Amino acid sequence: MSLRHAVLGLLANGPASGYDLLKSFELSLSNVWSATQSQLYGELGKLDAAGLIVVASEGPRGRKEYAITDEGRAELRHWLLEVEPTRVRRSDMLLRVFFLNQVTPAEAEGYLDGQEKHAQAYHDHLLALEGQIPWDDTALSVYGRIAMEWGIRFSRASIEWSAWAKERLRDAALPEGEWAKERLREAGLEEKS
Amino acid sequence: MSLRHAVLGLLANGPASGYDLLKSFELSLSNVWSATQSQLYGELGKLDAAGLIVVASEGPRGRKEYAITDEGRAELRHWLLEVEPTRVRRSDMLLRVFFLNQVTPAEAEGYLDGQEKHAQAYHDHLLALEGQIPWDDTALSVYGRIAMEWGIRFSRASIEWSAWAKERLRDAALPEGEWAKERLREAGLEEKS
DNA sequence: GTAAACATGTAACAAGTTACATGATTGT
DNA sequence: ACAATCATGTAACTTGTTACATGTTTAC
């Protein structure tokens, strides 16, 4: 139910149309919560029906500007302070690590290397962005900066982890290890588990 | 499509029943990819129909033991080495941070403090677990240890980030800042955006 | 005039969650 | 005999993705 709260959160900082919100998702919120256009318009309809937002005004091209209601604000506050964040922990990047024993150590190292490069690129991107934004002392800015710091720290930790993992892999050096058995199996030589 | 590959990855390390796989998800894989019982049995049916796995034997209580096929192994390998991990980046914990300007600075600090405590507990839990597991030099063990290191490093980064954020918040000290305007709005004093 | 941007909506599908439903085997 | 564990399956619902469909206004 977080898309609902993302929309309420955005509208709490001022009224906006579905199109406006979509832009907000695309350029600032996408790093922590992404939404598609079709999902967004659907959710606006539901929030309206539930009385958490209202159409404040209608503009050209069928534009509908939504505003948060008192009930919406109460719901947002409840979610912010009383609902425990769900920790999903679903990462297909990490899932692959679990099954890397199915490929050769050289291929596994290649995979980890790719992840390191990706994390490095993302880290560089965030640092560049951080330098561009004129941070001030308004609440919006302070919390935005805190959220961005999370990205910076976690991409840095990713880079360091990848490097550590590659080294660990080299140290373990699995020449006749588990993966070799898998090669044999692929060659058609079945064995009992 | 990652549940499919999680199942293939588990079966690549030996045949198992739906029930066995469910236990694997619950006790080791749940930290990187969770699946419900109903989802799992559904996926096994689809994988069977697609020829990526087969029923190798049937046991008591209607137990069906599945084994990966050569096509399944090829698909797993393809996914491991040629499919780019999807980076979803969806965190309702971080989403809340974006909207913390809707509550008082003291409440915001309370939220960050809660996150720090949660990260600390998770970190402690992982370190205890790491000490219990008899790590050896088999591929399965090496890659398992690498995956666990990710959890350890990221929970540590989480703790440090929360502490940093709380300090930053105190330094910024938003006494008459943005959040106050929101209080006024809640009191019914509407203003133009 | 025409391309870009503004603006909303729906349909079909895939993935994930919760709850219900049923029954067999093993250990005490 | 009874509880725990083993074992599978289905139905209803929510969330998220991709693609289709349509029309308006503004700037050049």
Side-chain angles (χ1 to χ4, degrees):
Chain A
M1 290 282 275
S2 284
L3 173 61
R4 155 160 303 206
H5 298 104
V7 171
L8 287 175
L10 288 171
L11 289 179
N13 289 304
S17 68
Y19 192 84
D20 294 339
L21 294 172
L22 190 61
K23 296 294 150 194
S24 290
F25 272 97
E26 277 167 8
L27 60 84
S28 69
L29 222 52
S30 62
N31 291 300
V32 303
W33 203 272
S34 62
T36 59
Q37 176 257 11
S38 112
Q39 226 188 330
L40 194 45
Y41 283 106
E43 193 61 44
L44 284 170
K46 286 182 211 159
L47 281 164
D48 191 4
L52 301 179
I53 63 175
V54 284
V55 177
S57 69
E58 305 204 23
R61 282 170 290 203
R63 175 190 171 95
K64 286 192 249 177
E65 200 168 57
Y66 290 96
I68 192 167
T69 63
D70 286 350
E71 285 110 303
R73 231 175 253 284
E75 171 57 32
L76 176 62
R77 191 181 156 77
H78 165 70
W79 173 77
L80 280 169
L81 300 175
E82 287 152 43
V83 179
E84 268 298 293
T86 56
R87 331 263 166 187
V88 244
R89 281 197 295 275
R90 230 177 209 146
S91 160
D92 66 329
M93 183 256 125
L94 220 45
L95 184 61
R96 282 177 175 82
V97 173
F98 261 88
F99 303 131
L100 245 23
N101 67 330
Q102 297 301 318
V103 299
T104 68
E107 287 169 332
E109 190 176 329
Y111 175 74
L112 291 167
D113 198 54
Q115 299 320 304
E116 184 179 357
K117 287 196 168 59
H118 184 277
Q120 183 70 61
Y122 185 53
H123 187 251
D124 292 349
H125 165 73
L126 287 180
L127 285 187
L129 209 61
E130 197 256 318
Q132 277 171 11
I133 298 173
W135 305 104
D136 57 37
D137 257 18
T138 60
L140 226 53
S141 187
V142 170
Y143 294 117
R145 181 63 186 78
I146 287 174
M148 169 161 275
E149 182 71 14
W150 190 90
I152 293 170
R153 284 171 184 251
F154 278 65
S155 54
R156 186 159 58 227
S158 258
I159 297 164
E160 290 166 2
W161 168 81
S162 307
W164 177 90
K166 285 196 291 181
E167 203 164 313
R168 178 110 182 172
L169 197 48
R170 272 194 292 268
D171 289 351
L174 312 151
E176 310 293 328
E178 285 290 306
W179 76 268
K181 289 204 305 203
E182 304 307 327
R183 290 285 93 134
L184 288 175
R185 258 189 224 154
E186 259 177 80
L189 297 158
E190 290 299 314
E191 49 191 328
K192 285 302 294 178
S193 76
Chain B
M1 288 282 273
S2 282
L3 173 61
R4 153 159 304 204
H5 299 104
V7 172
L8 288 175
L10 288 172
L11 288 179
N13 290 302
S17 68
Y19 192 83
D20 294 338
L21 294 172
L22 190 61
K23 296 295 149 192
S24 289
F25 272 97
E26 277 168 8
L27 57 84
S28 68
L29 223 51
S30 63
N31 290 298
V32 303
W33 203 271
S34 62
T36 59
Q37 176 258 9
S38 113
Q39 223 188 332
L40 193 46
Y41 283 107
E43 193 62 43
L44 284 170
K46 286 181 213 159
L47 281 164
D48 191 4
L52 302 179
I53 62 176
V54 284
V55 178
S57 68
E58 305 205 22
R61 283 170 290 204
R63 176 192 171 92
K64 287 193 250 176
E65 199 168 57
Y66 291 96
I68 193 168
T69 63
D70 286 350
E71 284 111 304
R73 231 174 254 286
E75 170 58 30
L76 176 61
R77 192 181 155 77
H78 165 69
W79 174 76
L80 279 170
L81 300 176
E82 288 153 42
V83 180
E84 268 299 293
T86 54
R87 332 262 164 186
V88 243
R89 281 197 294 273
R90 229 174 211 149
S91 160
D92 66 329
M93 183 257 123
L94 221 44
L95 184 61
R96 282 177 175 82
V97 172
F98 261 88
F99 303 131
L100 244 24
N101 67 331
Q102 297 301 317
V103 299
T104 68
E107 287 169 332
E109 190 177 331
Y111 175 75
L112 291 168
D113 198 53
Q115 298 319 305
E116 183 178 359
K117 287 195 170 59
H118 185 277
Q120 183 71 61
Y122 185 54
H123 188 249
D124 292 349
H125 166 72
L126 287 180
L127 285 187
L129 210 61
E130 197 256 319
Q132 277 171 12
I133 296 173
W135 304 105
D136 57 38
D137 257 18
T138 59
L140 224 52
S141 187
V142 170
Y143 294 117
R145 180 63 187 77
I146 287 175
M148 169 160 275
E149 182 71 14
W150 190 91
I152 293 169
R153 285 173 183 250
F154 277 66
S155 56
R156 186 161 57 228
S158 254
I159 297 165
E160 290 166 2
W161 169 80
S162 306
W164 177 90
K166 285 195 292 179
E167 203 164 314
R168 177 109 182 174
L169 195 49
R170 271 193 295 268
D171 289 352
L174 312 152
E176 309 293 328
E178 283 291 305
W179 75 270
K181 288 202 308 201
E182 304 308 326
R183 288 287 93 131
L184 288 175
R185 258 189 225 155
E186 258 175 83
L189 297 157
E190 290 298 317
E191 49 188 330
K192 284 303 294 179
S193 78

